[in-house]
Amino acid sequence: MKLKDFLKTQGIDENLAQLIMLFGNQATDIKAGFLSARGAADTRNVYGETQMALDKRADEILIAALRKSKLVSWIASEEQPDIIEVEGAVNPFGVTMDPLDGSSLIDVNLAVGTIIGIYPGHVLEPGNTMLGALYILYGPLTTLTYTTGKGVHEFVMDGDGTFMLMQENLIIPDGNIYAPGALRKDYLPYHRQFIEQLESEGYKLRFSGSFVADVHQILHKGGIFTYPAYAGKESGKLRLLFEGTPMGKVVTEAGGAVSNGTINLLDVKPAAVSDRTPIYIGGRKEIALIESIKRS
Ligand code: AHG
Ligand code: MN
Ligand code: MN
């Protein structure tokens, strides 16, 4: 079944369905840049990171499509210093986007993705207010995984650029993969204890450098991804609004959980769009373990 038809069967708000389709419809264009626009741009983003030409290209494609559609009032992007307000929008939705996550892997042809959060209004609200979230993964196949709070559903792009249903009502299984970000030498004591416990239980290391790809694997195979607070960087590396909450919403709706090590990440109210956060995302069992180790 086509994504468009599937969305109709779900009885969700029509504007929300159109918005999900809009993101899916940009995937072919974004992918086209993988061949033509490789390499670094001469600019840095608000985090001081070198922008790849493709980060900027994906950002431009998504912003242009959103502006044209007038489907959202607010756009917050990892590649933009400020929230964009769309004049004449037909509804009050806000979206957050990491146009290309894992972009340091583009030059070595590993999987990267686009991460989107959808809010009923302005985006500086806790993740648990989101209407939905989705990500598009550009791997050997291009897939779109979304939730609007009625299950997590995954689609694969066919040869014509149409997303076809691959799996509905995804549930994260028990698993033993761990994807540990940051340098081991910088681990804080509670985090070291957590990682050592996973290792003693036989968890297997899988960390690619692409958050969206690593979390996708864990959604399907179980386990935990973490980019923790570490010595000298108590707020971690990943971004609350662009990475943490949207992927957290998807994983939570699939029966998993997301935490900053202390509380559910979806309960955190952002202070600024650029907020970073420590992140633990994956199975409920692993999230309960880190929260209990950190408490004790
Ligand atoms: P982005 O490409 O959007 O800047 O995100 C990169 C992130 C994330 O995808 C990944 O998990 C993490 O950075 C990897 O960081 P390290 O290079 O420190 O492992
Ligand atoms: Mn990212
Ligand atoms: Mn990015």
Side-chain angles (χ1 to χ4, degrees), residues 2-247:
K2 291 180 180 171
L3 173 61
K4 192 174 175 193
D5 298 327
F6 185 85
L7 288 166
K8 278 191 197 131
T9 69
Q10 296 294 294
I12 57 174
D13 179 277
E14 193 162 322
N15 283 323
L16 183 55
Q18 278 181 29
L19 190 54
I20 292 168
M21 286 301 296
L22 178 147
F23 289 113
N25 289 340
Q26 310 316 310
T28 304
D29 214 1
I30 290 173
K31 278 172 58 167
F34 294 169
L35 199 54
S36 61
R38 285 174 295 170
D42 288 334
T43 51
R44 290 177 183 273
N45 64 15
V46 65
Y47 308 94
E49 299 163 343
T50 302
Q51 289 176 303
M52 305 300 284
L54 276 165
D55 286 322
K56 296 181 80 167
R57 192 174 178 281
D59 190 45
E60 284 162 14
I61 290 170
L62 293 170
I63 291 173
L66 287 167
R67 277 193 193 279
K68 193 166 165 218
S69 75
K70 304 219 181 297
L71 278 172
V72 303
S73 293
W74 313 98
I75 308 169
S77 167
E78 185 186 87
E79 304 303 338
Q80 296 290 330
D82 301 307
I83 295 175
I84 296 169
E85 190 173 346
V86 179
E87 304 256 325
V90 296
N91 66 54
F93 293 171
V95 292
T96 62
M97 39 190 228
D98 182 346
L100 219 46
D101 176 66
S103 55
S104 73
L105 298 180
I106 286 163
D107 54 353
V108 289
N109 194 29
L110 288 179
V112 298
T114 298
I115 306 173
I116 305 291
I118 305 171
Y119 291 76
H122 200 273
V123 298
L124 282 181
E125 295 296 332
N128 58 28
T129 66
M130 277 192 282
L131 295 175
L134 67 96
Y135 65 88
I136 300 171
L137 185 65
Y138 314 102
L141 295 172
T142 300
T143 59
L144 184 154
T145 306
Y146 88 89
T147 185
T148 56
K150 295 181 172 184
V152 176
H153 314 295
E154 195 165 296
F155 297 79
V156 60
M157 188 191 270
D158 70 10
D160 300 325
T162 305
F163 281 102
M164 304 297 294
L165 181 63
M166 189 155 68
Q167 197 175 344
E168 57 184 305
N169 296 315
L170 264 166
I171 296 291
I172 183 171
D174 271 343
N176 65 348
I177 289 173
Y178 77 124
L183 299 182
R184 185 173 280 260
K185 74 175 178 58
D186 295 332
Y187 284 175
L188 301 176
Y190 65 87
H191 184 73
R192 181 180 305 278
Q193 189 186 333
F194 173 62
I195 294 294
E196 285 175 355
Q197 179 153 347
L198 297 180
E199 289 167 345
S200 73
E201 291 177 17
Y203 277 64
K204 189 157 70 171
L205 181 90
R206 297 269 179 93
F207 188 88
S208 74
S210 166
F211 174 65
V212 64
D214 290 337
V215 174
H216 178 80
Q217 176 169 202
I218 282 161
L219 179 63
H220 280 273
K221 298 188 173 170
I224 178 125
F225 174 100
T226 166
Y227 212 112
Y230 56 93
K233 203 113 186 246
E234 312 300 323
S235 53
K237 173 180 180 183
L238 297 188
R239 276 112 334 189
L240 175 65
L241 278 170
F242 304 123
E243 289 152 334
T245 44
M247 294 305 282

